[in-house]
Amino acid sequence: MAVAENVSSCSLSAMWDWSHLSLSGTPPAVPLLDAAADLLVLERNFAASLGICERGLQILSAEPTDAKCEQVKTSLCVVAIQCLVELGRWREVLPWLIQYYQTPQEMPYNIMEMCILLYGKVKQPQVMLEVSSDWLQVQANRLLPNCCRVAELHLLHILLPLGLFSDAEVLAQDSDVFTEKQRHIALALVSEHRRQWEEYEAAAATERDEHSQSESMGRTGKVQTRIQNVAHLLLRALGMIAGIIRRTPFRNAALAVLLITIILLRLDPASPAAYGPISSLLLLIRQTIASIFQRHPSRQL
């Protein structure tokens, strides 16, 4: 798993060296820390290692807080984060940590580094935006020697991928975090990312416009084709009707039209409204019969 491999290198480098804690008076969770680390690195039994880390953190929660306990707690969290990532449960990392730290601002710098790298790697920088921003605003954290490293990761993996260039420029100009040389490099980096972002947005907008125009032309072409097909069918139908009319005597055509009218209008023969059309129909029928016998007098014999 690519995410696990990337976080693994960070987690191992971020682990505290707890070998000096083997002296008397060390926190009782130290043996659990050793066992969890062995399960993670040697046996790669991530679920078991995670369980031991949680057990060790529960023991520490009942102990008086001191520097040694905080070191062991941090190391247990580092191992547990790696286990969660290896188990494919990276989405649970931040909620899991909140169980053991009252606020994210209280997290040690190395845990904050791991979280920024993790959520940046999985393309979820927005998850850490508020967390790491608030962490960098805490004065006690800004006095730490490694605050510069956290600020650098926040700039590279959170602000720039989200396109927050104004915030990135403010952070890059912070003299309490970066040296003058570092500020110059950071500002140049922000400027370059802004330029690339704007070029990408312009290219994407052009591509969207071309795609919209292509779709519009395609729809227009389809409509025109349908109109042409309907017009062609209408012309053929009109031609057929005109041919039939030319071959049919006027009276027969009129009779047919009247019959069709009666059928379409559904005239009731008993209705007064139908008297006029029916009378005309009867008169037309008589005239048609009379004209037929006049044309063929021999048939009267």
Side-chain angles (χ1 to χ4, degrees):
M1 184 177 180
V3 175
E5 292 175 358
N6 282 272
V7 179
S8 177
S9 59
C10 175
S11 66
L12 293 177
S13 63
M15 285 185 186
W16 290 83
D17 180 10
W18 58 82
S19 58
H20 65 285
L21 298 176
S22 59
L23 303 175
S24 59
T26 57
V30 170
L32 295 178
L33 176 59
D34 290 330
D38 289 341
L39 287 170
L40 169 66
V41 179
L42 301 179
E43 301 183 25
R44 299 186 64 80
N45 188 339
F46 309 120
S49 178
L50 177 62
I52 292 178
C53 290
E54 292 176 339
R55 195 187 319 157
L57 289 168
Q58 290 175 357
I59 294 175
L60 288 176
S61 64
E63 293 291 324
T65 303
D66 57 20
K68 291 182 178 181
C69 286
E70 287 298 319
Q71 291 179 0
V72 176
K73 179 180 179 180
T74 300
S75 298
L76 286 170
C77 289
V78 167
V79 174
I81 292 172
Q82 180 63 30
C83 291
L84 288 170
V85 173
E86 294 286 358
L87 292 169
R89 297 165 55 186
W90 56 267
R91 293 179 180 84
E92 303 176 26
V93 168
L94 196 56
W96 186 90
L97 288 170
I98 298 300
Q99 300 177 80
Y100 304 103
Y101 292 95
Q102 293 183 356
T103 63
Q105 292 78 17
E106 297 180 5
M107 294 180 187
Y109 72 88
N110 47 1
I111 291 182
M112 186 59 59
E113 289 178 11
M114 290 183 64
C115 291
I116 293 175
L117 287 172
L118 169 62
Y119 286 98
K121 182 64 179 178
V122 297
K123 309 300 182 184
Q124 297 290 330
Q126 68 278 3
V127 175
M128 289 297 298
L129 176 60
E130 184 176 355
V131 174
S132 52
S133 296
D134 292 345
W135 191 93
L136 289 169
Q137 296 302 318
V138 177
Q139 187 62 30
N141 295 333
R142 294 170 67 87
L143 296 176
L144 295 174
N146 298 88
C147 180
C148 176
R149 174 61 178 167
V150 176
E152 178 186 347
L153 294 177
H154 178 68
L155 179 72
L156 292 175
H157 298 281
I158 306 299
L159 297 179
L160 294 182
L162 291 174
L164 301 176
F165 301 111
S166 297
D167 294 341
E169 287 178 346
V170 172
L171 178 60
Q173 295 172 352
D174 193 337
S175 58
D176 293 337
V177 176
F178 297 114
T179 64
E180 181 178 357
K181 182 178 180 180
Q182 290 172 333
R183 292 198 300 272
H184 178 74
I185 296 174
L187 286 172
L189 185 64
V190 172
S191 177
E192 177 63 18
H193 274 74
R194 185 196 295 271
R195 182 187 64 79
Q196 294 177 0
W197 183 283
E198 291 174 349
E199 290 180 354
Y200 173 80
E201 289 293 322
T206 301
E207 185 177 352
R208 286 194 299 268
D209 292 341
E210 292 176 352
H211 184 67
S212 299
Q213 292 177 0
S214 176
E215 286 187 345
S216 177
M217 292 177 62
R219 288 193 296 267
T220 302
K222 290 180 180 179
V223 171
Q224 291 178 348
T225 302
R226 291 177 182 176
I227 293 175
Q228 291 174 356
N229 292 336
V230 172
H232 182 66
L233 291 174
L234 288 174
L235 288 174
R236 289 184 59 186
L238 290 174
M240 293 174 62
I241 293 172
I244 294 172
I245 291 175
R246 284 196 299 267
R247 293 193 299 269
T248 305
F250 175 74
R251 288 178 178 274
N252 294 345
L255 177 61
V257 171
L258 186 56
L259 289 172
I260 292 173
T261 303
I262 293 173
I263 294 172
L264 293 177
L265 297 179
R266 296 182 179 180
L267 293 176
D268 184 3
S271 173
Y275 178 76
I278 292 177
S279 299
S280 301
L281 175 61
L282 292 174
L283 179 60
L284 185 58
I285 291 173
R286 292 193 188 99
Q287 291 176 355
T288 302
I289 293 173
S291 65
I292 292 173
F293 282 105
Q294 287 175 1
R295 293 178 184 177
H296 306 281
S298 59
R299 294 187 180 181
Q300 296 178 356
L301 299 178

